[in-house]
Each structure stands twice: as C-alpha cells, then as structure tokens.
Amino acid sequence: MSWDWQVFFQDTGGGQTYFNWMMSAWGWTLLVSACSLVVALVVGSLMGVLRTTPVKAFVWIGNAWTELFRNIPLLVQIFLWYHVIPSMFKSLQQVPDFIAVVVALGFFTSARIAEQVKAGILALPRGQRYAGLAVGLTLPQTYRYVLLPMAFRIVIPPLTSESMNIVKNSSVAFAVSISELTFFAMQAQEETSRGVEIYLAVTFLYFISAFAVNRVAAFIEKRVRVPGMIGSAK
Amino acid sequence: MNLSFAFIDWNLISSFILKGLIFSVQLTLVAMIGGIALGTALALMRLSGKKWLEIPAAAYVNTLRSIPLVMVILWFFLLIPLLIGHPMGAEVSAMITFTVFEAAYYSEIMRAGIQSVPRGQVAAGYAVGMNYRQCMQLIVLPQAFRNMLPVLLTQTIILFQDTSLVYAVGAYDLLKGFEVAGKNFNRPVEMYLLAAITYFVICFSLSMLVRRLQKKIAIIR
C-alpha cells in the first residue's frame, strides 16, 4: 500500500479541498463539544447539588435525572432529540439539528457530571455545611459561599476527563449528519477511497483536541488552587 | 402527532428486535470476556516493572482511550480487510473492535484492582515459595477481581450501551432492529422511543443489580 496525502488537496466537487472541509469539520466538532460542555456543566452541577440537598423531592429529581440519562445509549438519546421530541411537540420542529445534538450530548454528560459534583460535595467534611448554616447563611448561600467553591476544586480532575469525553463523544453526531470530523471521515473515505490517510488525519485532530482540553483544564486547576490544600504545590 | 403502538405484535418483535438484541448481547459478552482477559494481561504488563513490557502496554491503553469509539470501529472496519485480504462482515469486525477497545478500559480497572491488594500479600506468597505466576494467579488476581467486580460490571453496562455505535458500520444490533422495524411499518418515532425504553430498562435493572452486589461485597470485606 502506498501513501497518497495529495488526497487532501483534491477538490470535493463543491469548490473546496478535502483539507478545507476537514478544517470546517474540526470546527464543528469543537463547537458541538464546547456548547455541550456548557450545557452539561450547568445542568450537571444543578442536578449534583440537588442530590445533596436535605429536600427529599430535590434529591429524587436529581437521582431520576441521573439514572434516566445515564442508562440510555448516547446514540439513542440523539435519535430521541432528533426524531421523537420534534414529532411529539410541533413547535420544536424548526429547531436546527445542531441544537438537538448539543442538548443530547449535554444532557447525557450532565448525568455523569452530576455524579462527580455530588461526590465532590459529599467529600467535604459535614461540619462545613453546619458551620455555614450556623453563622446564619441560608442554604443557597451555604452552597454558594462555603460548599461549592471547595467542591468544584475537588472535582476538577474528573471534570477534565468528562470534558475530554465530550470531545470524543461528539463523534456520535455523525448519525444525524452534523458535518463534524467523524462524518467527514466517513464521507471522504467513501468518496476518495483513501481511508487510511483520512482516518489518520482525523484521529490526529481528535488527539490534539483532547490534549488541548486537558491542558486548559490543568491550567484552570493550577490557577484556582487554594494554598495549603492537598494538591497545591506550595 | 399521535403515537400508536397498536402495530406491535410478537411477530414484529421476534423477527426484527430479538435478532438485534441477541447480537448486542453476544457482542457484549464476547467483548467483556475477551476484553477482561486482554485487559488483565495489559495490566500485569504495566505493573511488571519491566520497561519493555510497560511501555507498549501503556501506549496501547492510552492510545485507545484517547480515540473516539466510533473512529476505532471505522478504523478496524477499514483495516482488517486490508490486512487479511478479503472483506469481513460488520458483525465479526465489531466483535474484534470491541474486544480490543474495551481491553484498554478493563485494563485500567484491573490495574487499580491489582494495586488495591496489599503488598504484604505478594510478599507472603513469595515467602511460602510461590513463583510470580502462582502468586498472581492464586493470590493477587482473585482478590483484584473480587474488589473490582462492581466496577467491571458497570463498565460492561457502558459496553452494552456502546454496542449501539456499530450503527456506524451498519451491523444489525438492538438499535438497528428497532430502526428497521420502524422503517418497515412507517412508525420510526414509536420505534426510537421503544428503543430508548428498552435500553433504559435493561441498563437500569442491571445497574441496580450491580449496586446490590456492591453492598454485599462491602460486607464481606
């Protein structure tokens, strides 16, 4: 077998090269990942917090959410948001495919993040919560000023791996024809029959993306470090 | 739109969905058994203390863990026919892919499991005259397996969910069964909904069982 990297400079038939297409596909991968990550962090933190509150109903909602979104495969969830929900609610039919994928990937990951955030809050000494309440803070204030600032620092490492997972999981968006990297790989492989070169390039881009996420997270972890706590250098 | 499930009968289930379910379960079991075997070997390589064993095993695990599963499925579907010289069915290709891919994840679990066994246990094994193999086989691995059983099973539930990704190469799994049935009866929405419910029921009940098992094991320890 011989290499043929020229394939990336071929025209796709639409006036752009495969290389250009791949770069725009990379952009879609990053965009889907970034938007999903925002959804996942917001919803996941909320659900994780609900699961640690003393209110039974909140705990139930948080638990139900986690179990629901953790026990259905991502691909099936994407189909749910893409096929099932719009046909049940007419008003949602105009929603672009991109939003469906972001919601699906975001909610799917939020279940995992909820789990991490809950574990982070429970890892704190119980006295912290009592201390917060004892000095007259309300429950939301206790979370905002006492518990969450520490809990989020504890869960940065697992959140980092979840963020890297989001980049990887965004590949499932190929199933609803979002023009991201995996979709590009499948299409370009079919059109050019230079599968190995194309897959290598795409795999490499996934590597870089995940690595970049990892570095950004490491930077954040370093910046928000509390002096004197475990994990801080000095 | 009104959902209607009236068209569903035993005939539909047995001809479309059971076929897919059987493949998904088969794929899960093959990849679980193969993956745990290969993963344990990789974990032992990484903990062997010999550089020439550690580095390839670490490279294997880290590479596979940083590539999306869909890409791995595509890679194998493309490469295996190139290597063996003739095309291979999506089903067999999927079994090989999942075994190789899951081994990377099982290996990390087994590594943690082996590391959770106190060092004294190994020393005790050597002290009574066992060699490395006996020590691992009779003392360390049984304990590592028992400690890690809930995590291994949770990973298997994730594996079962991930089998739906064989969609990328068109293998006939549980999801595909629902999809084909939905196309044939022109009821795709109901079928996708049922697919979600089916996966949820299976995975949720399995994870409940794992949780119960976890409690039992915690008492033994």
Side-chain angles (χ1 to χ4, degrees), chain B:
Chain B
M1 184 187 132
N2 296 315
L3 295 177
S4 152
F5 295 96
F7 66 99
I8 296 164
D9 57 9
W10 173 245
N11 197 18
L12 179 154
I13 297 176
S14 65
S15 51
F16 293 102
I17 292 156
L18 269 187
K19 183 184 162 199
L21 178 64
I22 289 170
F23 174 70
S24 287
V25 171
Q26 256 177 351
L27 177 55
T28 308
L29 290 179
V30 167
M32 176 181 80
I33 295 167
I36 292 181
L38 187 54
T40 306
L42 286 164
L44 287 175
M45 283 168 75
R46 286 190 78 172
L47 295 170
S48 64
K50 298 186 180 72
K51 277 272 171 292
W52 60 279
L53 285 174
E54 268 173 35
I55 293 170
Y60 177 103
V61 172
N62 291 334
T63 309
L64 280 174
R65 275 162 50 95
S66 35
I67 308 176
L69 175 53
V70 186
M71 278 313 294
V72 181
I73 294 173
L74 291 176
W75 263 118
F76 275 73
F77 195 59
L78 178 80
L79 282 186
I80 296 175
L82 283 182
L83 292 178
I84 61 173
H86 57 87
M88 179 178 252
E91 278 79 11
V92 184
S93 173
M95 288 197 180
I96 300 175
T97 312
F98 274 81
T99 305
V100 168
F101 183 79
E102 292 298 326
Y105 286 80
Y106 282 124
S107 130
E108 287 294 89
I109 299 172
M110 284 312 295
R111 189 159 71 112
I114 294 170
Q115 282 173 331
S116 75
V117 177
R119 238 170 234 287
Q121 299 271 325
V122 183
Y126 285 132
V128 296
M130 289 184 173
N131 58 27
Y132 175 78
R133 189 200 149 88
Q134 289 171 320
C135 214
M136 283 296 159
Q137 201 178 327
L138 300 172
I139 298 178
V140 178
L141 287 183
Q143 296 187 62
F145 267 117
R146 202 193 61 186
N147 292 350
M148 284 296 131
L149 196 57
V151 192
L152 288 171
L153 292 177
T154 305
Q155 181 60 36
T156 306
I157 297 174
I158 297 174
L159 161 63
F160 177 71
Q161 291 188 23
D162 282 346
T163 57
S164 61
L165 295 179
V166 295
Y167 185 86
V169 291
Y172 198 105
D173 73 325
L174 181 56
L175 176 59
K176 184 81 168 183
F178 278 107
E179 196 180 58
V180 172
K183 283 214 174 94
N184 282 6
F185 290 84
N186 206 17
R187 285 275 172 199
V189 174
E190 283 86 345
M191 277 308 173
Y192 284 128
L193 193 59
L194 270 185
I197 295 171
T198 308
Y199 273 106
F200 178 78
V201 168
I202 295 174
C203 297
F204 184 65
S205 17
L206 287 178
S207 61
M208 284 294 131
L209 284 178
V210 173
R211 213 166 286 176
R212 194 179 289 180
L213 181 80
Q214 202 163 11
K215 277 192 188 133
K216 264 195 178 158
I217 288 183
I219 296 169
I220 298 171
R221 255 199 279 178

Side-chain angles (χ1 to χ4, degrees), chain A residues 74-103:
Chain A
L74 176 56
L75 181 55
V76 179
Q77 291 193 30
I78 287 184
F79 285 153
L80 275 186
W81 292 102
Y82 187 77
H83 293 290
V84 179
I85 303 288
S87 80
M88 289 166 90
F89 305 98
K90 283 269 178 280
S91 55
L92 292 176
Q93 272 170 356
Q94 303 305 317
V95 173
D97 305 351
F98 173 76
I99 303 288
V101 168
V102 166
V103 170

Side-chain angles (χ1 to χ4, degrees), chain A residues 165-179:
Chain A
N165 282 342
I166 270 201
V167 177
K168 286 193 282 169
N169 286 335
S170 71
S171 62
V172 180
F174 81 87
V176 290
S177 305
I178 299 285
S179 187

Side-chain angles (χ1 to χ4, degrees), chain A residues 19-227:
Chain A
F19 182 79
N20 288 341
W21 183 9
M22 183 168 74
M23 286 299 125
S24 91
W26 191 21
W28 278 106
T29 288
L30 295 179
L31 189 65
V32 168
S33 311
C35 296
S36 308
L37 182 60
V38 173
V39 173
L41 280 176
V42 172
V43 179
S45 307
L46 178 70
M47 290 299 159
V49 166
L50 288 187
R51 293 174 74 187
T52 61
T53 54
V55 186
K56 280 250 163 61
F58 285 173
V59 174
W60 192 88
I61 293 172
N63 286 343
W65 180 275
T66 316
E67 293 300 340
L68 181 62
F69 288 99
R70 214 172 40 169
N71 284 311
I72 301 176
L74 176 56
L75 181 55
V76 179
Q77 291 193 30
I78 287 184
F79 285 153
L80 275 186
W81 292 102
Y82 187 77
H83 293 290
V84 179
I85 303 288
S87 80
M88 289 166 90
F89 305 98
K90 283 269 178 280
S91 55
L92 292 176
Q93 272 170 356
Q94 303 305 317
V95 173
D97 305 351
F98 173 76
I99 303 288
V101 168
V102 166
V103 170
L105 184 53
F107 283 5
F108 174 80
T109 314
S110 79
R112 284 137 204 277
I113 290 185
E115 194 84 328
Q116 317 283 13
V117 170
K118 177 192 163 197
I121 295 173
L122 293 182
L124 298 171
R126 214 177 302 170
Q128 301 235 334
R129 177 192 299 262
Y130 296 152
L133 295 172
V135 296
L137 298 179
T138 63
L139 190 64
Q141 283 172 334
T142 309
Y143 271 98
R144 165 69 185 80
Y145 296 106
V146 181
L147 298 176
L148 289 182
M150 284 320 295
F152 270 117
R153 287 177 168 90
I154 294 176
V155 296
I156 286 178
L159 289 189
T160 308
S161 60
E162 282 312 326
S163 315
M164 291 165 76
N165 282 342
I166 270 201
V167 177
K168 286 193 282 169
N169 286 335
S170 71
S171 62
V172 180
F174 81 87
V176 290
S177 305
I178 299 285
S179 187
E180 48 72 60
L181 278 174
T182 303
F183 183 78
F184 160 79
M186 295 171 88
Q187 294 286 319
Q189 194 272 128
E190 205 140 282
E191 289 170 20
T192 63
S193 305
R194 304 302 313 181
V196 176
E197 288 86 346
I198 286 170
Y199 285 7
L200 267 180
V202 166
T203 306
F204 176 67
L205 289 181
Y206 273 117
F207 260 123
I208 305 186
S209 318
F211 185 71
V213 171
N214 183 298
R215 289 297 92 203
V216 170
F219 175 73
I220 296 175
E221 192 180 347
K222 213 170 159 189
R223 283 300 298 270
V224 300
R225 214 170 255 173
V226 178

